[in-house]
Amino acid sequence: MTLEEKYIPDKVELKWQEYWDRSGIDKASADPSLKKFYCLEMFPYPSGKIHVGHARNYVIGDVIARYKRMRGFNVLHPIGWDAFGLPAENAAIKHGVHPAQWTYENIDSMKKQLRPIGLSYDWEREVTTCDTGYYRWNQWFFLKLYEKGLAYKKASFVNWCPSCATVLANEQVIDGRCWRCDSVVVQKELEQWFFRITHYAEELLQGCEELKGWPEKVVLMQKHWIGKSEGAEVDFPIEGTDRKLRIFTTRPDTLFGVRFMCIAPTHPLTAELVEETEGLERIKAKYGNVEEKEGLFTGHYAINPLNGERVPVYVANFVLMEYGTGAIMSVPAHDQRDFEFARKYDLPIKQVIMPDLTSKAGSRESGPIAEAYEGEGILVDSGRFSGMASPEAKKAITEYIEAKGLGKGTVNYKLRDWGISRQRYWGTPIPIVYCDKCGVVPVDEKDLPVILPRDVKFTGKGGSPLLDLPDFVRTRCPKCGGGARRETDTMDTFVDSSWYFVRYCSKKDEDALEKNNISYWMPVDQYIGGIEHAVLHLLYSRFFTRVMRDLGVLGLSEPFTNLLTQGMVGKETLRCPEHDWLFPEEAENGKCVHCGRDVERGRTEKMSKSKKNVVTPDDLIGKYGADTMRLFSLFAAPPERDLEWSDRGVEGAYRFLNRVWAIVYKSKFKVQGSKFGIDTVSELRPPAQGLLRKTHQTIKRVTTDIEREYHFNTAVAALMELVNELGAFQPVDDQDWAVLKYSIESAIMLLSPFSPHIAEELWEATGNRPSVFEQSWPQWSEDIAKEKEVELVIQVNGKVRAKVMVPEGLSDGEIKDKTLDEPKIKEILSGKAVKKIFVVKGRLVNIVIGGAGI
RNA sequence: GCCGGAGUGGCGGAAUUGGUAGACGCAAGGGACUUAAAAUCCCUCGCGCCUUAGGCGCGUAUCGGUUCGAGUCCGAUCUCCGGCACCA
């Protein structure tokens, strides 16, 4: 095999991509006799174009997949498309392209962008969520959830744009206005479908303890999101009625400090208690407004069941109907929010908790307090509970309440049920029909899928286009056969991504829920994706996995054993005072090419089309090849860290690959023909010994750096060091050539996960049969890797004073002797008393001395 | 406000368990090759000071502490980034 003198990436890369396609090396098959490794990157939304930020994500996954393959694992490394969702529908409204066409065309063009990167995907398992064959399973899961009472319908508030007549997602509401038409968004109550994720709240929380392979930060975010809090529910009778107001509190120890009550404007009792409807509307309008607390006295009083005190009941905009019971007891002395409310409406304050014993009574009489004391302490003015400490009092009061039938100890979660209804077209139809006679009726399993019709019109107004399709809406009731109306809402796209990793376990032509496949491949051993999915996607997937477990689809609870959240790729932004954001090529010497004004250099930000600070892999690959792009994006920073894109740095990676190429080219004839084994190391010439040692050290470093949380940046640095030595090595005899061959081959194998194409080419050029990925990952010998001489650092009082080379493995005593023999050290020590000598094996000696004359 | 994380040369970053701070790369400067340039190769490269060989002092956001020894551990402060934010 001959090697071109000059490294031409296009040629090499195309050749090996074709080779991999032909050989089917990236295809996976379940084989229980082999150890499996499931490597998964979060699948992309087909927006049309990828930038190097996306590419980095796939490259990280690809390195892991290729490395694990060489380590002998049967690797599953699939890819697919998160293909339903809003942008396709918006494109339809704006440009008149059908969402399906837009989506499939984008998938096509993204495939064209991905292919040249050289990613080792098994394309036989490609998943496209907008395919009927995929979303029919969303519908199947929906039916199963419905059967189990885990899917239900209830009224809830949504962001509603009156002008577009549509529901908006939270992120589509910008400063309270519609992102598309700028109308003021209102809260509208709609009937919506929900998944009862709260049924698994406790389990999802407990499960966090199992997520040892996840970044702690993400686990913490999940815990906060679930938001467990323990407390009590207590009934407060309302004076002059037979009604009771049930509240939730986490501080039963402050019950004697209640000064007023607050209920949510949407609380069922509110309408009953409030006569002043105008005032109530005012509070309702400010519901959830964080800036101002607004309250309205209902004219009613509640009775504190513990001490019989009579306290006023208010309606307040800050009390949420969705959490707890929708009503609270207000203890202004010990809750900052209640304190502020009390101040605003001039309500009394009563302290019942003292921070500690020393500050006792007295201070509680000493005039107004500046803020609430929210900590724990000792109870005062609390009847029989006075003198108890908060934790003890919480228990005692809760027990008392339960004994007297006034309420009960309760656990609450912030986690809400997952609203999955979208008044949108481009999503999975919810398999439900409404019959006048039978009410809500699920579609029969045998009638799945409910196919999303293609022939629709997009106006952007009047809600889902499905509403205007009589053929779709009008149907028969599965129960009574009478006329019925189909559900026109579609599912949240998070449903699609909550189980796609299970679909990948089987090939396209296999049953989606084939048990043997799933039990072999699941769980995902390494999941890689952006931190932006730390809560929702990952939580929904954990929920779905539990649902699938309870349906018998799979036998585990946690889908992702290890999670890597990679940092974003940023680039500085450029802005012209006249032409706004500029592409990098629109600025020359700090001037705008359009108008010549000074360009303002903005901060580094996540790459985005709108800010024009994107670098696409296509350009880079065209110029330097995929191997260079891959290498640089791995070398520039550890994967979990954000990275600023640097064009200069890319050139450095390119130079490195050229150097590797040149080394192999220069030595290829000798290396190819070399048949010598490596004799005992001691017989080698010292330079060859050195190179061999460096080679083994590098194998060790690259391997441990990859194993140590995928620190590819230092792995690549180690490889560069080896290549620097390889470049300087001058072989003179046959044994030198043998060492060189071994060293070059090792370097190629170590490089292969990072820059796979050039590695294949060079592997072949050194006289080996492809593919390098069928090789076992190289092994190192501790013995050969060990340095024969080590640098001993000599410190005096913690300061480095000398460095000497000493043989490896000296005893502490020998090291002390050597140190004190050193002329320079003798000089420093003369006339000083040595107090102590510390020896750190193989590293340094620290001599502690006193001042002169001591 | 609360909860996380980070802060190291001109830049990206390294230092794995408390033990030589700055690996590797980029940029910069100097040199070789060349008619010339590009490419490539070699050398220098934290800051300050001493005339040099060589040495000395300072230095990991700031201040303090523990230790023979601190980028690493502890306490306080500042800045930046991320998450949550009336959750009762």
Side-chain angles (χ1 to χ4, degrees), chain A residues 790-795 802-804 806 815 838-846:
Chain A
V790 292
E791 191 182 48
L792 179 68
V793 172
I794 305 173
Q795 295 183 336
K803 296 174 184 178
V804 286
V806 298
I815 284 178
F838 292 87
V839 179
V840 182
K841 259 218 163 5
R843 284 187 185 268
L844 60 70
V845 178
N846 188 14

Side-chain angles (χ1 to χ4, degrees), chain A residues 782-820:
Chain A
E782 283 292 347
D783 219 40
I784 299 174
K786 197 185 271 173
E787 291 287 351
K788 300 297 172 278
E789 276 203 314
V790 292
E791 191 182 48
L792 179 68
V793 172
I794 305 173
Q795 295 183 336
V796 177
N797 283 353
K799 286 193 173 167
V800 178
R801 292 298 160 187
K803 296 174 184 178
V804 286
M805 294 306 294
V806 298
E808 195 271 336
L810 292 185
S811 72
D812 287 6
E814 287 169 313
I815 284 178
K816 273 185 200 174
D817 294 346
K818 265 227 155 30
T819 302
L820 296 171

